[in-house]
Amino acid sequence: MDKPPVKMMDPTLAEMGNHLSDAMKILESGKLESEQGKERRKLSWKDIPGPLQGDGQDVVSILQLVQNLMHGDDDKQGQRMQYVAEQGHMALLGHSLAAYISVLERERLRKLTTRILSDTTLWLCRLFRYENGSAYYHEDDCEGLVKVCRLVINTHYEDYATEGFTMLSSKHPVIYQSAACRPGLGQHLCSQLGLPLSCLCIVPCNTMFGSLHQMDVALLDKLIRDDRESGKVPLLLIANAGTPGAGHTDKLSRLKELCVQYNMWLHVEGVNLATLALGQVSSAVTAATKCDSMTLTPGPWLGLPAVPAVTLYRHEDPALSLAAGLTSSQPVEKLRALPLWLSLQYLGHDGIVQRIKHASQLSQQLLGHLKTLAPIKTSDILDSEVSLIEALCMVEDELNSPVVVFRFSQDSAPSSGGSVEGYLEGERDILDALNRWLGEQLAQQVPLSGVDVVELEDEGTCVRFSPLMTAAALGTQENDVAALVEKLGEMIPVLSCTLRFRQDFKDEVLQQASLSYIEDLSWPGLGGVRYEPRTTDLDEDKRQHSVEKINSDLLKKLMELDTDLYFSGGPEFCEEKNGIFIGMATEDLDVAELVETIVSIGKDIEESGKLFENMTEVVRRGIQEAELQLQKANEEKLMEEGVFRQIPLVGSVLNWLSPVQASVKGRTFNLAEGCLDSTEPVYSVKAQMNKEASLDSPKSITKRFPGQKLFRRQGAGSDSVSDTSSVNQLEESFRETAHVQASDAEEAEVPQERHVHIVEETALSDQRVPEGHETESVDTLR
């Protein structure tokens, strides 16, 4: 018996696959461009569109342009596009093949697209346990639901195809959706269907019994009965198998009973639908297989780029499905399923299940670590345990929860060493700010975890871990979850200490007359302050300018200090201007020292500002007075030495025969007071200071350990032995800095008192000093 001939692969398809693979590798690596090309690109106006070249370009040049547009200046930032795995290459190949297949003859194209569509639909229905279903493939996630709504309208209004919207005027249709659905979903449906917003009914979630994220079934029943009594037609109910925010699943079994009772269509969507492909599925999610339609997003679940979403539905009338746009007679439109058809074959049934199972295991791993990290509050454990992290259970059955949402709770702040009584007002906003900071830090330090920040209506700001939507694309593994838990353990004490010291910081600031506290509940840190100048004789404009200048300089000085604290000008859209905001705190923070340092530096800057403002007039008057005193000193010298000593030749002879013992009188110019003083007190004080410094008294200086940061209390925490701080040492450092600046005539930034020494010199030129008197005369001058 002869064997059937083996068909060889079409060379065009093989070449297309090779070209696409090479192009993807080139674009991902970014190594196509030479060094000379990079230099030319830096000098070119790459963002300005140019004319179309007449002679055309080759493939390499076009890929070069695409690469430049994709990466931009990534060579400076060290960033590259996300890695696309092999199954992703298959999905991208599908788009190229779709363009190639579309040029086939019509009959062959019809047979090929029918096979692709039927295979993909059969595989998806079996994977997700949706028997006897049809599939609609669409790019926009909402497009499938829009088509389903058209199908339901055509089903309930038989003459809708001929009469149009006049059929809806007498009996208004009503679409019901949960309050936990995607934001803007109902408005988008009404806009696409041409329905008024009065046709949309938002069903609240449970407020007294059950989960806060599940639709209130009893209230829904009442709303449907009221609408039917008023002559309206309940059309469709949108339920969730995994809400967009917290991943909760509605009571689908009870909702299906209501839809059957009132002849309504039940549509389900959500990330938890992916778990239908697993061997063990929770009963809440399994009920989704009985719904009338569901929307699946296999792209993010399996890490497939540019694959369409799929809406599975059941309906017996193909004519109505065609009228609603769920099916099409155009073979080209059926090619939307080609990328998914290729990718599903590449992964296989086991590969698909393994990826979904891996994502679910990552969620369970994190949830288990959270429970061991500290006592946890979940929706099933409604007690008053104190917890560092409050975890929200996503589904009724925790064993198959694919989403974990957690937040730092106020109960974690211990009462020892601080107070939280002042957080009754604005407590929610403060905790939201801290949790927002926590999510951003976790996402930045453990990027492969894929965590993000989510805003929930009842719980507030939370951190969400949804590996079904991110793990396949990022390649998240168990060690990434372990790293996430490790970073979380490091940040919990910082959050707790910041929450504990925030009120203490506010109390310390309010005790300072020169500081005003800035109340910004959205700032994740200790809080904000503003230094207020003590001068009140300035008008409003000059005062505002002075406040802005002082706080700007104060912020620069604080940022230059050797400390772990973060200083900032505040949030981008902060209403309070000219403020200084302090970031997160650690356990050994000395709040009193921090506030005293801010006040001390602010006073120095304010005094130096006053000094510079009065500098011109003070110096002018001081110079005039110095000139008068110099003139007077010259006159006294003339009267003391006589006229003959001023004659050059005669004076030299007289000075040689009878030298004059002239003394140099020193003067100091006090810029703060604007007067001339003698230098004798200055030198006597300096001599006394040198004498005291030689004694090396340990009572006046508090020693700081090597590597010790500022604003740290000694003995606070296990690591505080080498990282403690002292208020006296900080004040001493500022005294030394001020003393060095005061002794240097060229530096005039933050002085407490500046002196300009004006030495009155006598004209001793042409004097001959006898031998033996030269040393004495020099010592006198010194």
Side-chain angles (χ1 to χ4, degrees):
M1 183 176 181
D2 298 336
K3 295 182 179 180
V6 179
K7 295 183 179 180
M8 301 299 294
M9 183 178 180
D10 189 349
T12 306
L13 293 178
E15 184 179 359
M16 180 185 301
N18 293 332
H19 282 314
L20 178 63
S21 178
D22 295 339
M24 289 302 302
K25 292 179 181 179
I26 291 174
L27 294 177
E28 288 177 357
S29 63
K31 296 180 180 180
L32 180 64
E33 189 174 16
S34 62
E35 295 297 331
Q36 294 81 3
K38 290 182 179 180
E39 293 298 329
R40 289 195 302 268
R41 176 163 59 89
K42 293 178 182 179
L43 300 176
S44 63
W45 294 353
K46 60 180 181 180
D47 296 330
I48 300 179
L52 180 63
Q53 297 185 8
D55 53 353
Q57 301 184 52
D58 54 11
V59 177
V60 177
S61 300
I62 297 175
L63 289 178
Q64 173 69 70
L65 176 60
V66 175
Q67 176 187 333
N68 295 342
L69 295 176
M70 288 172 55
H71 297 293
D73 295 334
D74 286 348
D75 51 349
K76 297 180 180 180
Q77 302 176 1
Q79 300 177 353
R80 281 288 180 249
M81 64 178 294
Q82 181 177 298
Y83 173 73
V84 181
E86 289 295 331
Q87 68 268 18
H89 287 176
M90 293 299 297
L92 299 178
L93 177 61
H95 290 275
S96 299
L97 287 177
Y100 174 73
I101 294 174
S102 63
V103 301
L104 296 176
E105 57 180 337
R106 185 174 183 82
E107 183 63 22
R108 183 175 297 181
L109 176 62
R110 185 188 63 80
K111 292 181 179 180
L112 179 58
T113 54
T114 302
R115 172 63 184 274
I116 293 173
L117 192 63
S118 60
D119 284 350
T120 311
T121 302
L122 177 62
W123 298 338
L124 291 175
C125 289
R126 289 185 177 179
L127 271 171
F128 299 100
R129 308 183 183 191
Y130 197 81
E131 299 178 356
N132 302 323
S134 302
Y136 173 67
Y137 303 89
H138 46 93
E139 303 297 333
D140 188 3
D141 295 347
C142 301
E143 186 179 353
L145 182 55
V146 173
K147 303 295 185 182
V148 167
C149 290
R150 295 186 187 275
L151 174 63
V152 179
I153 292 176
N154 280 278
T155 303
H156 280 75
Y157 299 91
E158 298 180 356
D159 298 332
Y160 178 76
T162 56
E163 300 295 333
F165 289 99
T166 57
M167 295 294 301
L168 309 179
S169 58
S170 58
K171 295 183 177 181
H172 288 277
V174 182
I175 299 175
Y176 303 88
Q177 75 164 42
S178 170
C181 284
R182 286 180 288 171
L185 177 62
Q187 290 80 355
H188 177 75
L189 287 178
C190 293
S191 175
Q192 294 297 315
L193 298 173
L195 299 176
L197 292 179
S198 58
C199 295
L200 179 65
C201 180
I202 306 297
V203 183
C205 296
N206 292 326
T207 56
M208 297 182 61
F209 305 100
S211 172
L212 297 177
H213 301 275
Q214 290 180 336
M215 189 185 304
D216 193 334
V217 180
L219 181 58
L220 173 63
D221 189 8
K222 182 179 182 301
L223 292 174
I224 294 176
R225 284 188 279 105
D226 293 343
D227 290 337
R228 287 171 61 90
E229 292 176 0
S230 61
K232 297 181 181 180
V233 180
L235 283 184
L236 180 138
L237 172 63
I238 306 173
N240 291 301
T243 56
H248 283 259
T249 300
D250 290 324
K251 299 177 180 179
L252 300 179
S253 299
R254 183 72 181 98
L255 295 178
K256 179 59 180 178
E257 295 176 0
L258 284 180
C259 291
V260 173
Q261 178 182 351
Y262 296 111
N263 191 24
M264 294 173 56
W265 185 285
L266 176 60
H267 179 83
V268 180
E269 60 179 22
V271 66
N272 292 351
L273 292 175
T275 60
L276 290 172
L278 301 178
Q280 296 180 356
V281 190
S282 65
S283 58
V285 181
T286 305
T289 59
K290 305 300 181 182
C291 66
D292 298 295
S293 62
M294 65 169 63
T295 297
L296 309 175
T297 55
W301 297 348
L302 305 176
L304 305 176
V307 298
V310 185
T311 296
L312 303 179
Y313 65 96
R314 296 189 185 98
H315 199 267
E316 299 178 354
D317 193 345
L320 292 180
S321 300
L322 180 62
L326 288 170
T327 58
S328 176
S329 59
Q330 299 296 328
V332 177
E333 294 188 7
K334 298 179 181 180
L335 288 175
R336 291 179 182 175
L338 180 57
L340 191 57
W341 183 73
L342 294 174
S343 301
L344 293 179
Q345 291 186 85
Y346 182 84
L347 292 173
H349 183 276
D350 295 340
I352 297 171
V353 174
Q354 178 59 33
R355 278 164 174 76
I356 298 176
K357 183 178 180 180
H358 174 68
S360 300
Q361 290 175 347
L362 292 178
S363 298
Q364 296 306 311
Q365 179 187 356
L366 177 60
L367 188 59
H369 282 298
L370 291 178
K371 290 184 177 181
T372 58
L373 185 65
I376 297 296
K377 289 182 181 179
T378 66
S379 59
D380 297 330
I381 308 176
L382 300 178
D383 55 15
S384 58
E385 281 187 314
V386 177
S387 62
L388 291 179
I389 289 292
E390 183 179 13
L392 307 175
C393 179
M394 298 307 107
V395 293
E396 294 178 356
D397 187 0
E398 289 189 11
L399 298 178
N400 291 286
S401 172
V403 182
V404 177
V405 176
F406 58 91
R407 70 182 259 114
F408 173 78
S409 62
Q410 182 191 5
D411 297 337
S412 62
S415 59
S416 60
S419 61
V420 294
E421 290 81 2
Y423 285 95
L424 297 178
E425 297 183 2
E427 171 189 344
R428 167 75 174 267
D429 296 331
I430 296 173
L431 291 175
D432 286 348
L434 294 178
N435 282 280
R436 191 176 300 110
W437 176 87
L438 174 63
E440 293 173 353
Q441 291 296 317
L442 291 175
Q444 180 180 359
Q445 299 187 24
V446 194
L448 294 181
S449 64
V451 295
D452 62 346
V453 178
V454 61
E455 301 287 343
L456 301 181
E457 182 178 358
D458 296 304
E459 288 79 7
T461 305
C462 300
V463 183
R464 177 176 57 187
F465 178 67
S466 181
L468 270 175
M469 301 299 293
T470 60
L474 297 177
T476 309
Q477 301 298 328
E478 287 79 1
N479 56 346
D480 298 318
V481 177
L484 179 66
V485 175
E486 181 181 358
K487 291 296 180 183
L488 185 60
E490 296 175 359
M491 294 178 184
I492 289 176
V494 177
L495 292 167
S496 179
C497 293
T498 302
L499 184 62
R500 197 175 69 202
F501 288 131
R502 184 162 178 140
Q503 184 65 31
D504 298 340
F505 176 75
K506 180 179 180 180
D507 296 339
E508 289 287 342
V509 171
L510 294 179
Q511 293 177 4
Q512 301 292 335
S514 57
L515 295 180
S516 61
Y517 182 78
I518 299 178
E519 187 73 32
D520 190 347
L521 302 180
S522 63
W523 173 253
L526 289 178
V529 297
R530 183 190 300 109
Y531 186 88
E532 302 290 348
R534 291 168 290 179
T535 56
T536 58
D537 55 346
L538 300 177
D539 56 20
E540 187 63 24
D541 293 338
K542 291 184 178 180
R543 177 175 176 79
Q544 289 295 333
H545 178 73
S546 176
V547 171
E548 180 180 359
K549 181 66 169 58
I550 292 176
N551 285 275
S552 177
D553 295 341
L554 177 58
L555 177 60
K556 293 179 182 179
K557 292 292 183 182
L558 292 174
M559 295 175 66
E560 294 174 357
L561 297 179
D562 184 18
T563 177
D564 293 332
L565 285 178
Y566 172 72
F567 298 96
S568 170
E572 182 178 0
F573 302 102
C574 180
E575 296 180 358
E576 297 288 342
K577 303 299 181 183
N578 306 323
I580 299 173
F581 288 80
I582 296 89
M584 309 297 287
T586 54
E587 183 180 2
D588 54 359
L589 175 66
D590 194 333
V591 179
E593 179 186 3
L594 171 63
V595 176
E596 291 175 3
T597 303
I598 296 175
V599 174
S600 176
I601 300 178
K603 288 181 179 179
D604 291 343
I605 297 176
E606 182 183 5
E607 291 177 0
S608 65
K610 294 179 181 178
L611 182 65
F612 292 138
E613 290 177 1
N614 301 327
M615 181 74 71
T616 303
E617 182 64 23
V618 172
V619 170
R620 186 184 63 82
R621 288 189 283 103
I623 292 176
Q624 292 177 354
E625 183 178 353
E627 290 177 350
L628 293 177
Q629 293 195 16
L630 288 175
Q631 184 179 359
K632 183 178 179 181
N634 291 331
E635 293 177 354
E636 293 177 355
K637 174 186 174 183
L638 179 62
M639 296 297 295
E640 179 183 354
E641 298 180 356
V643 179
F644 291 102
R645 291 184 182 271
Q646 310 305 320
I647 302 174
L649 184 58
V650 178
S652 299
V653 175
L654 290 177
N655 290 333
W656 182 76
L657 294 175
S658 178
V660 178
Q661 301 295 331
S663 61
V664 180
K665 298 180 180 180
R667 296 289 186 269
T668 62
F669 181 36
N670 193 331
L671 292 178
E673 300 179 1
C675 61
L676 290 173
D677 299 326
S678 175
T679 58
E680 294 181 1
V682 176
Y683 287 107
S684 61
V685 171
K686 183 176 180 181
Q688 182 67 21
M689 290 176 61
N690 293 335
K691 182 177 180 181
E692 293 178 357
S694 62
L695 297 178
D696 194 17
S697 176
K699 297 181 180 180
S700 60
I701 300 177
T702 302
K703 293 185 179 180
R704 191 180 297 275
F705 292 98
Q708 180 178 348
K709 301 291 185 179
L710 297 178
F711 315 129
R712 288 194 175 183
R713 291 180 288 107
Q714 185 173 1
S718 59
D719 299 333
S720 59
V721 177
S722 60
D723 296 332
T724 55
S725 63
S726 173
V727 179
N728 294 332
Q729 172 64 20
L730 180 62
E731 294 177 351
E732 184 66 24
S733 64
F734 280 109
R735 293 193 195 102
E736 294 176 358
T737 303
H739 177 69
V740 172
Q741 292 175 344
S743 61
D744 191 350
E746 296 180 359
E747 298 179 0
E749 291 186 5
V750 193
Q752 294 183 356
E753 185 177 356
R754 301 298 179 95
H755 295 81
V756 176
H757 298 273
I758 303 176
V759 182
E760 302 176 2
E761 299 182 354
T762 58
L764 301 178
S765 59
D766 298 332
Q767 291 187 2
R768 294 182 59 188
V769 181
E771 218 173 353
H773 295 276
E774 182 178 358
T775 304
E776 181 182 357
S777 185
V778 172
D779 294 336
T780 304
L781 290 174
R782 290 179 181 173

